[in-house]
Amino acid sequence: MVEKTARILLCVVFALTWSYIICKTWQGPTVERPLRVGAFNIQNLGNSKMSNKTVMDIVNKVLLRYDLVLVQEIVTLDETMMEDVLKNLNKLNKVKGSKYVMTISERLGRGNAKEQYAYIYRNDKFKLLGAHSYPDREDDFMRPPYIAHFSTPTLRHISSMIAIGIHTQPKNAANETSSLAQVYDYAAKKFKEKNAILMGDMNAGCANVRISDWNLIDIWRREEFTWLITHDIDTTQSLNCCPYDRIITAGDDMLDAVVDFSAQAYKFRDELGISSELGLAVSDHWPVEVLLKGGTSQPAKVNLKPSLCLTLEDIRQRTFPAQLRSQKTTFGFTIETTETSSELYASSEEGDTLLQNLQKLQAKYPQLISSEILDTLFYKVEHGALSDPSANDDLEKDTYTILIEFSFSDETTTLHYCTATTIN
């Protein structure tokens, strides 16, 4: 007993010491939440809209949703107006240690049709390394894309990324969208960074881009680009179903950083319970968004092996089969018996196989495991009791375990069914 206690104590001390050394290189807490990145064309964002408190209250609620958001169609000539938007966001921001900051482009466009882009982001989640508008020497764009390079200290898989924001001219949407491929090539070379998100109102749908155009659009044809907002997602508040606003990723690590199935159009009108009229006063577009996986500290990744478990206790009097007292295994379960209890344990990468063995065990020894406990377990598993919405990464391998505990003093059976999960 003394030897066992000493060995456990030694392991704990070693783990704590090692964790302290590693933690000094980690910039966040043990587990970071996913980050929400979006793009919002706030239609005709000028003095009139910015002076409308009712409308701007909705705009602020939408912007507060994001850790990084590209704002498009800024048309005000008053340079202080966007600073006021930023000040109001920070007044409303309730996250301690986090402040919204902004990088904004120069006025871009031909003639009088000039607009600005702005990236608004939380300064504890994104660190700006540089930003400038694309040097559009061939005059491919009505409003050249706005490129920003960020470090991402709290994300998994990537430590930095490029954001490329665009608002295309509708009648030239196919050509401008295609030319985004060369913008990415330029930015990747400029910043020595392959991981990128390209986003904004590309007008890439309906009458603006014909079916025959797609095979000629470089950013659609090239394999390194993944379109997260697909053709079937309506991003406008109009009666037509048009996927104008898009999010595209480039770089293998960037795609790995995306939370599966998180890309969507955020329909704030329904979420905030406002009228169609007020929704259209905000914009004729929905924001588009995606979640990026939060990081995990190295000590947690190395030392923690999380599982989700479903425990079912049958408080009725049960009986431990006499023949199992002398056995070491049965139906794939290892048996360990002491004076006070007996445990049957099994583990497998195939959950179905494990449950089939449990069924066989119950059929032979119903006095140990009741049919009710088995039926309840199967119902809970089939209806998602062990699904984990907080897990945003793939397991190296699936692991399922069953532990059956029988107490000789209480004469009760408790069943634990567990599945491995990820920390976040």
Side-chain angles (χ1 to χ4, degrees):
M1 184 67 177
V2 174
E3 181 183 354
K4 183 177 181 182
T5 304
R7 186 162 61 246
I8 293 173
L9 181 61
L10 177 63
C11 289
V12 171
V13 171
F14 175 76
L16 288 174
T17 304
W18 183 80
S19 297
Y20 172 74
I21 295 170
I22 298 294
C23 275
K24 294 176 72 174
T25 66
W26 175 247
Q27 300 182 40
T30 298
V31 182
E32 286 283 356
R33 64 174 176 82
L35 301 187
R36 194 180 303 275
V37 174
F40 192 13
N41 179 344
I42 309 177
Q43 182 188 22
N44 197 27
L45 186 57
N47 291 16
S48 176
K49 180 170 288 187
M50 291 182 180
S51 301
N52 187 322
K53 184 179 183 304
T54 301
V55 169
M56 289 308 295
D57 282 348
I58 302 300
V59 170
N60 288 335
K61 287 178 181 178
V62 173
L63 295 181
L64 283 168
R65 179 177 176 84
Y66 297 102
D67 298 289
L68 167 66
V69 59
L70 167 72
V71 177
Q72 304 142 78
E73 211 164 311
I74 302 168
V75 297
T76 179
L77 298 175
D78 186 344
E79 295 181 359
T80 66
M81 295 297 281
M82 283 303 294
E83 292 295 336
D84 289 341
V85 170
L86 195 66
K87 288 177 184 177
N88 288 331
L89 283 178
N90 280 314
K91 287 179 182 177
L92 296 168
N93 178 30
K94 304 299 182 184
V95 180
K96 291 183 179 180
S98 178
K99 180 182 178 182
Y100 278 105
V101 293
M102 176 177 66
T103 180
I104 189 166
S105 73
E106 69 272 30
R107 289 174 54 76
L108 299 165
R110 305 183 188 120
N112 294 325
K114 287 184 167 59
E115 301 173 6
Q116 288 174 286
Y117 302 104
Y119 290 106
I120 298 174
Y121 56 96
R122 292 187 183 274
N123 65 350
D124 60 326
K125 304 300 182 185
F126 292 89
K127 311 290 185 183
L128 184 66
L129 302 176
H132 63 273
S133 58
Y134 173 65
D136 186 18
R137 297 182 180 89
E138 302 298 323
D139 198 26
D140 290 321
F141 298 96
M142 176 71 170
R143 291 167 288 268
Y146 190 41
I147 305 168
H149 187 205
F150 294 98
S151 68
T152 55
T154 70
L155 287 182
R156 191 183 314 178
H157 299 299
I158 59 172
S159 58
S160 60
M161 57 172 268
I162 298 166
I164 298 174
I166 182 67
H167 179 201
T168 70
Q169 185 182 30
K171 68 179 182 181
N172 198 35
N175 291 331
E176 290 195 28
T177 300
S178 181
S179 295
L180 284 174
Q182 68 191 37
V183 177
Y184 167 75
D185 293 339
Y186 161 84
K189 182 177 180 181
K190 172 77 174 178
F191 294 114
K192 297 180 174 60
E193 174 68 69
K194 290 185 177 181
N195 296 311
I197 284 185
L198 302 91
M199 56 186 174
D201 178 7
M202 300 179 191
N203 284 293
C206 291
N208 297 326
V209 180
R210 298 165 299 180
I211 294 175
S212 59
D213 291 331
W214 285 104
N215 288 333
L216 302 175
I217 294 176
D218 281 350
I219 200 170
W220 175 259
R221 293 188 300 116
R222 283 172 48 176
E223 292 183 356
E224 68 264 44
F225 297 106
T226 301
W227 290 58
L228 300 182
I229 300 295
T230 50
H231 293 344
D232 59 335
I233 298 178
D234 183 12
T235 70
T236 73
Q237 295 197 55
S238 66
L239 295 177
N240 296 324
C241 181
C242 294
Y244 286 156
D245 305 80
R246 302 295 188 123
I247 297 177
I248 305 167
T249 64
D252 291 339
D253 292 339
M254 189 76 246
L255 187 58
D256 287 341
V258 171
V259 174
D260 291 342
F261 311 112
S262 65
Q264 64 172 354
Y266 172 56
K267 299 185 178 181
F268 59 85
R269 186 183 65 207
D270 300 332
E271 184 85 9
L272 301 178
I274 62 176
S275 66
S276 297
E277 182 180 10
L278 180 53
L280 285 169
V282 173
S283 178
D284 57 348
H285 289 254
W286 303 120
V288 288
E289 62 184 36
V290 68
L291 291 175
L292 303 180
K293 298 171 185 174
T296 309
S297 69
Q298 186 67 14
K301 284 191 287 187
V302 171
N303 297 312
L304 301 185
K305 304 298 180 186
S307 294
L308 287 179
C309 294
L310 180 63
T311 298
L312 298 171
E313 182 181 7
D314 193 338
I315 61 174
R316 295 171 297 183
Q317 188 177 59
R318 312 304 298 171
T319 303
F320 192 78
Q323 59 266 50
L324 292 183
R325 288 177 180 267
S326 59
Q327 291 183 218
K328 295 297 183 183
T329 62
T330 183
F331 296 110
F333 287 84
T334 300
I335 306 171
E336 290 190 8
T337 301
T338 66
E339 292 182 0
T340 59
S341 66
S342 188
E343 294 182 349
L344 288 80
Y345 176 82
S347 177
S348 175
E349 294 180 17
E350 299 292 336
D352 290 343
T353 300
L354 208 57
L355 292 173
Q356 288 168 9
N357 288 340
L358 179 64
Q359 282 181 306
K360 295 174 184 177
L361 183 68
Q362 191 277 329
K364 185 166 184 178
Y365 302 112
Q367 68 271 41
L368 174 64
I369 305 168
S370 67
S371 60
E372 290 88 354
I373 206 170
L374 194 67
D375 291 344
T376 302
L377 173 64
F378 273 74
Y379 174 83
K380 299 294 284 185
V381 170
E382 288 172 4
H383 289 81
L386 291 179
S387 61
D388 186 0
S390 70
N392 297 314
D393 209 359
D394 296 326
L395 288 166
E396 292 183 7
K397 63 178 181 179
D398 292 324
T399 304
Y400 301 88
T401 61
I402 291 178
L403 174 64
I404 302 164
E405 297 177 307
F406 182 82
S407 169
F408 291 127
S409 59
D410 296 336
E411 295 185 313
T412 58
T413 298
T414 302
L415 186 149
H416 308 274
Y417 180 65
C418 302
T419 179
T421 186
T422 59
I423 295 173
N424 64 349

